[in-house]
């Protein structure tokens, strides 16, 4: 099995296209860092005077929304309460909001760049089965004394490894750039509201959580592309369909979700797990547990389809 | 000699159409079996079923006794194959390609890889990317990959397709060597009869998914009756003379020649008859029917029967 995964990994990274993708990710992260540095040099020094007044104003607005708004979702209500409590905690303990750019906030900001990593993993997943058919090498691959299930599994494992690799590259690179350009001076504490209490969390823990949640998003779309690749044997269809869904899906789902409640069963309503952290769920009544179950069902369907079709297929020219 | 490949009533149905219709044959150790038929007769489909790329609709295939349906991994581990063109990963070197296949099977050492590279004569270019290879070199790399795990059965689909005469000769030599020296059972498919005649021991003719004929390539030499072409100055007169005395030799005219079918011992009698009738005899030669003629005879007969 290790040998099979090694094979797939070598085939993936020895391709010119894969190296370009890795280089692009590095380049984009560097550009983003440069841009942030430029922005920072044009900003006023902080802590901003009067941050207490600002937080109090914020809380007043939150409280107003909490009491006057009729159709607040549970998640939104929790979120508002959390924010109010966190702000009060800040006021009590004299913890100003750190608006200064530092290593941690840079790493958090550059987590948005994971969309690129996601796109690259999607492209790799779309090609990993379909390319063997295009190249004709599938005939040599499947006439070995290795079951087709094992071969497909090694390919999927390689996609996941590639995803983790890009994630690690992005995380390490943005940490390094953040450290060099902005320093590690900022507060290393992240305030979270859990079970009616404000808790201090380590920043690293918070950042890892953000990256892991974003990785779930990447994983779902990569699995979708992998399934299309294995079922339809066409990498262009797999890339086209899944990136179309990646870009259009969330928007369409959001539009639909304003009128129909069933949209909460759509894949795109659930891929963004940060929506629960940030109190902006698409459809009321959705919870983290609900989303995880929906995602698991989609994931299982994708995998079952891919494995059944791949192992039963007659390989013709 | 043990049978290494056995097909038992193998059928393949695709979209309700029977592409392959109850095919049965065996290939023995050390034998080169040619699979001949026009395009679309089902050669490639049969080969794809033997190597496990396609599932069987009916029947079973045994490789060295292991059924492909229930013991795929055991059966296929005895088979090396090139199905159609030897497609390789072009962005990898020849060596890296072979390493890929070596990792998919246990017990393939680096020495073994070096050995097959030497066998096909690719030592000089093996560390270059495959995209720089000529078709002949890719074909040789294809054979190297098929021999990597010391298979007992080798399957080559249209192995000489697109090769130049030197390349074809090269492949032919490899095939004969592997059968004779290593005792492998080899299945070769082609639509070129002349090609098959030069490398096969037996040829199976496939038409519309059915195996219509299996024929040994070299006719047995102790055959009683041979055909002879006798070049004479007056073929018409010669035919009349011979018919009157030896009608059973079935004399016919072919250009300036008189064609007869006779046992060797009868030939002097025919010649002395011609000489005594004042017909000049310039040349007498034995005619062996080429495989091509036999193939056409068989296929024509089939067409007459079906038409």
């Amino acid at each position: 099995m290790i040998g099979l995964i090694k094979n797939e990994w070598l085939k993936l990274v020895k391709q010119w296209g894969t190296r370009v993708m890795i280089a692009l990710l590095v380049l984009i992260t560097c550009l983003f860092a440069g841009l942030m540095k430029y922005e920072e040099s044009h900003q006023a020094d902080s802590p901003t005077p009067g941050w207490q007044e600002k937080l109090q104003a914020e809380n007043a607005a939150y409280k107003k929304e909490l009491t006057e708004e009729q159709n607040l979702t549970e998640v939104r209500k929790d979120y508002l309460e959390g924010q109010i409590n966190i702000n009060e905690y800040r006021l009590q303990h004299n913890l100003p909001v750190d608006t200064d750019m530092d290593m941690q906030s840079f790493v958090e900001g550059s987590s948005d760049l994971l969309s690129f990593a996601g796109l690259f993993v999607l492209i790799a997943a779309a090609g990993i089965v379909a390319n063997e058919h295009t190249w004709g090498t599938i005939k040599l691959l499947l006439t070995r004394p290795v079951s087709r299930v094992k071969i497909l599994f090694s390919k999927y494992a390689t996609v996941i490894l590639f995803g983790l690799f890009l994630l690690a590259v992005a995380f390490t690179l943005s940490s390094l750039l953040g450290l060099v350009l902005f320093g590690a001076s900022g507060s290393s504490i992240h305030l979270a509201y859990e079970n009616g209490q404000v808790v201090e969390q380590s920043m690293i823990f918070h950042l890892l959580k953000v990256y892991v949640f974003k990785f779930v998003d990447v994983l779902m779309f990569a699995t979708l592309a992998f399934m299309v690749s294995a079922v339809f044997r066409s990498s262009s269809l797999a890339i086209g369909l899944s990136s179309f869904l990646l870009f259009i899906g969330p928007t369409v789902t959001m539009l639909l979700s304003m009128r129909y409640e069933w949209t909460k069963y759509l894949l795109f309503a659930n891929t963004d797990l940060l929506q629960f952290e940030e109190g902006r769920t698409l459809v009321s009544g959705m919870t983290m547990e609900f989303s995880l179950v929906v995602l698991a069902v989609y994931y299982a369907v994708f995998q079952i389809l891919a494995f059944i079709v791949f192992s039963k297929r007659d390989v013709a020219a | 000699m043990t049978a290494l490949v056995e097909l038992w009533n193998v059928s393949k149905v695709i979209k309700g159409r029977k592409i392959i219709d109850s095919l049965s044959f065996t290939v023995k150790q050390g034998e080169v079996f040619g699979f001949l038929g026009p395009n679309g007769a089902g050669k490639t489909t049969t080969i794809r079923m033997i190597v496990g790329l396609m599932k069987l609709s009916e029947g079973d295939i045994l490789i060295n006794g292991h059924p492909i349906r229930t013991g795929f991994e055991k059966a296929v581990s005895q088979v090396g194959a090139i199905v159609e063109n030897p497609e390789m990963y072009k962005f990898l070197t020849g060596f890296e390609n072979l390493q890929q296949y070596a990792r998919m099977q246990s017990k393939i050492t680096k020495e073994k890889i070096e050995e097959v590279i030497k066998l096909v004569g690719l030592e000089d270019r093996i560390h270059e990317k495959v995209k720089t290879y000529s078709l002949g070199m890719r074909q040789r790399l294809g054979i190297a990959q098929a021999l990597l795990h010391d298979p007992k059965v080798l399957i080559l689909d249209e192995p000489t397709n697109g090769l130049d005469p030197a390349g074809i000769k090269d492949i032919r030599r490899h095939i004969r060597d592997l059968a004779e020296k290593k005792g492998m059972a080899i299945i070769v498919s082609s639509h070129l009869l002349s090609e098959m005649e030069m490398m096969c021991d037996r040829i199976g003719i496939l038409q519309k998914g059915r195996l219509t004929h299996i024929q040994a390539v070299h006719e047995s030499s102790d055959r009683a009756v041979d055909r002879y072409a006798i070049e004479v100055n007056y073929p018409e007169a010669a035919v009349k003379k011979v018919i009157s005395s030896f009608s059973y030799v079935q004399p016919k005219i072919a250009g300036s020649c008189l064609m007869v079918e006779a046992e060797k011992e009868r030939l002097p009698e025919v010649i002395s008859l011609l000489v005594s009738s004042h017909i000049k005899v310039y040349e007498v030669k034995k005619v062996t029917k080429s495989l091509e003629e036999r193939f056409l005879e068989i296929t024509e007969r089939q067409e007459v029967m079906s038409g």
Side-chain angles (χ1 to χ4, degrees):
Chain A
M1 202 63 209
I2 302 287
L4 290 180
I5 295 174
K6 191 176 174 193
N7 273 352
E8 294 301 330
W9 180 260
L10 284 176
K11 281 189 276 184
L12 185 64
V13 298
K14 292 239 170 177
Q15 281 176 69
W16 185 74
T18 313
R19 295 178 173 185
V20 170
M21 291 195 286
I22 297 169
L24 269 178
L25 184 68
V26 171
L27 191 73
I28 290 167
T29 313
C30 292
L31 278 177
F32 181 71
L35 198 73
M36 283 292 130
K37 186 73 191 166
Y38 178 78
E39 284 275 308
E40 190 207 27
S41 64
H42 288 259
Q43 251 176 18
D45 276 353
S46 55
T48 337
W51 61 271
Q52 286 100 337
E53 287 77 19
K54 225 179 188 171
L55 285 188
Q56 275 156 357
E58 224 176 88
N59 269 2
Y62 287 151
K63 277 175 185 156
K64 196 172 163 217
E65 189 183 339
L66 211 51
T67 48
E68 290 178 9
E69 198 67 43
Q70 299 297 318
N71 308 318
L72 272 186
T73 66
E74 276 304 307
V75 174
R76 181 73 188 165
K77 219 181 261 173
D78 283 350
Y79 174 72
L80 290 175
E81 274 166 15
Q83 285 302 310
I84 292 166
N85 278 301
I86 288 172
N87 283 346
E88 271 164 9
Y89 189 88
R90 284 189 186 284
L91 290 168
Q92 269 172 27
H93 296 81
N94 196 26
L95 289 167
V97 183
D98 201 353
T99 54
D100 235 9
M101 190 53 98
D102 60 21
M103 177 181 153
Q104 283 89 356
S105 52
F106 175 72
V107 174
E108 184 164 13
S110 60
S111 74
D112 286 335
L113 298 179
L114 287 184
S115 313
F116 289 101
L119 188 64
F120 297 155
V121 176
L122 188 150
I123 292 170
I128 202 156
V129 179
N131 281 346
E132 300 273 1
H133 284 278
T134 316
W135 297 331
T137 44
I138 190 84
K139 290 178 293 190
L140 291 178
L141 197 63
L142 296 187
T143 50
R144 307 283 141 183
V146 178
S147 74
R148 291 191 183 186
V149 169
K150 273 189 198 159
I151 288 183
L152 194 63
F153 179 79
S154 68
K155 284 185 174 294
Y156 185 72
T158 306
V159 170
I160 301 301
L161 275 179
F162 185 61
L164 289 172
F165 172 73
L166 289 186
L167 198 71
V169 167
F171 192 82
T172 318
L173 186 67
S174 53
S175 301
L176 280 176
L177 284 171
L179 188 66
V180 170
L181 292 176
F182 308 106
S185 61
S187 96
S188 55
I189 289 165
H190 174 77
L191 294 180
Y193 185 68
E194 273 173 12
N195 306 324
Q197 261 188 331
V198 175
V199 287
E200 293 187 4
Q201 286 179 337
S202 109
M203 202 63 191
I204 296 289
F205 176 77
H206 173 67
L207 288 178
L208 278 177
K209 196 160 79 179
V210 169
Y211 272 69
V212 165
F213 280 4
K214 297 226 167 176
F215 186 68
V216 171
D217 197 357
V218 168
L219 186 76
M220 287 310 294
F221 280 98
T223 309
L224 172 66
F226 182 77
M227 183 272 285
V228 176
S229 177
V231 171
F232 296 101
R233 287 169 289 171
S234 157
S235 65
S236 40
L237 180 72
I239 294 174
L241 188 69
S242 23
S243 54
F244 175 78
L245 290 176
L246 177 66
F247 292 122
I248 301 299
T251 318
V252 172
T253 310
M254 197 157 77
L255 290 175
L256 287 173
S257 69
M258 292 192 263
R259 296 201 54 166
Y260 308 106
E261 208 197 327
W262 53 259
T263 47
K264 68 180 176 185
Y265 296 108
L266 292 178
L267 174 63
F268 317 105
N270 297 288
T271 45
D272 181 11
L273 293 176
L274 281 172
Q275 61 182 327
F276 304 108
E277 291 279 301
E278 295 170 358
R280 47 174 176 80
T281 51
L282 219 46
V283 181
S284 64
M286 281 174 68
T287 60
M288 177 80 115
E289 290 75 25
F290 171 81
S291 276
L292 286 176
V293 169
V294 172
L295 289 181
V297 170
Y298 273 100
Y299 185 85
V301 169
F302 292 162
Q303 292 289 28
I304 289 168
L305 264 179
F307 274 88
I308 287 182
V309 173
F310 187 78
S311 48
K312 294 261 179 265
R313 161 174 303 133
D314 275 347
V315 179
Chain B
M1 286 292 173
T2 46
L4 287 181
V5 182
E6 298 166 68
L7 274 80
W8 298 111
N9 286 316
V10 172
S11 294
K12 178 70 187 176
V13 180
I14 300 177
K15 289 185 185 138
R17 219 165 68 82
K18 220 167 201 178
I19 306 289
I20 300 293
D21 193 358
S22 35
L23 219 57
S24 296
F25 66 88
T26 57
V27 185
K28 293 189 288 283
Q29 195 183 345
E31 184 182 41
V32 182
F33 183 83
F35 216 32
L36 186 69
N39 290 329
K43 293 179 305 238
T44 299
T45 305
T46 308
I47 284 181
R48 282 170 191 271
M49 287 194 287
I50 300 175
V51 298
L53 286 175
M54 283 184 159
K55 307 271 185 286
L56 285 67
S57 301
E58 280 165 44
D60 207 349
I61 295 174
L62 274 73
I63 311 281
N64 200 15
H66 300 293
I68 199 138
R69 269 175 184 258
T70 48
F72 172 79
E73 290 175 34
K74 267 194 180 152
V76 156
S77 65
Q78 318 262 3
V79 180
I82 305 180
V83 181
E84 290 171 323
N85 302 319
E87 277 103 353
M88 296 285 171
Y89 301 104
K90 294 196 174 83
F91 49 89
L92 299 180
T93 67
F95 194 78
E96 285 169 334
N97 267 289
L98 293 180
Q99 280 182 315
Q100 285 271 326
Y101 302 116
R103 280 188 211 105
M104 297 185 78
Q105 246 145 318
S106 51
K107 287 176 258 158
I108 296 178
T109 57
K110 194 156 182 287
E111 288 71 39
K112 182 68 203 176
I113 300 179
E114 306 280 356
E115 185 193 316
V116 290
I117 292 168
K118 223 172 144 196
L119 181 75
V120 297
L122 271 179
E123 301 100 312
D124 298 339
R125 302 280 302 277
I126 198 68
H127 291 291
E128 287 175 39
K129 292 243 160 80
V130 171
K131 61 179 155 216
T132 66
Y133 284 18
S134 68
L135 188 59
M137 290 169 68
R138 281 180 204 180
Q139 192 70 266
R140 281 188 276 162
L141 186 61
I143 292 189
Q145 102 13 75
L147 295 177
L148 205 54
H149 50 291
D150 277 325
K152 292 199 164 70
V153 177
L154 185 64
I155 292 168
L156 305 169
D157 191 10
E158 306 271 356
T160 55
N161 237 359
L163 291 184
D164 58 16
I168 292 175
K169 211 176 152 200
D170 208 37
I171 293 282
R172 207 188 293 146
R173 184 178 55 83
H174 276 310
I175 290 173
R176 290 300 330 169
D177 269 8
L178 291 169
E180 282 158 24
K181 292 183 188 153
K182 296 210 167 181
M184 292 170 76
I186 303 180
I187 298 179
V188 182
S189 87
S190 177
H191 58 276
L192 292 175
L193 190 77
S194 51
E195 193 50 58
M196 303 286 258
E197 200 171 1
M198 282 186 270
M199 56 188 168
C200 300
D201 298 313
R202 275 193 310 151
I203 290 179
I205 295 164
L206 195 66
Q207 279 183 303
K208 293 174 189 156
R210 286 173 153 275
L211 198 62
T212 52
H213 214 268
I214 294 184
Q215 172 112 41
V217 169
H218 304 289
E219 283 181 291
S220 49
S221 51
D222 51 65
R223 216 171 138 233
V225 179
D226 282 313
R227 295 177 90 205
Y228 295 92
I230 308 171
E231 195 182 345
V232 292
N233 54 351
Y234 297 118
E236 290 85 1
V239 167
K240 278 180 197 151
K241 274 283 166 208
V242 176
I243 282 180
S244 61
S245 311
F246 311 104
S247 63
Y248 55 87
V249 300
Q250 301 171 19
K252 284 187 198 91
I253 301 170
S256 62
C257 290
L258 171 74
M259 307 292 293
V260 295
E261 286 186 29
E263 293 159 42
K264 199 173 181 177
E265 288 306 313
R266 288 264 170 234
L267 203 57
E269 293 169 24
V270 174
I271 294 169
S272 62
L273 174 71
L274 292 173
V275 172
S276 63
S277 316
H278 305 288
I279 294 168
K280 288 180 178 167
V281 175
Y282 301 112
E283 192 183 12
V284 178
K285 68 184 171 204
K286 193 160 122 183
V287 180
T288 45
K289 244 192 247 179
S290 80
L291 192 64
E292 188 107 31
E293 284 174 278
R294 277 184 274 150
F295 174 61
L296 288 176
E297 256 173 42
I298 292 162
T299 48
E300 272 162 23
R301 204 186 307 145
Q302 292 287 330
E303 269 154 34
V304 169
M305 277 162 69
S306 62

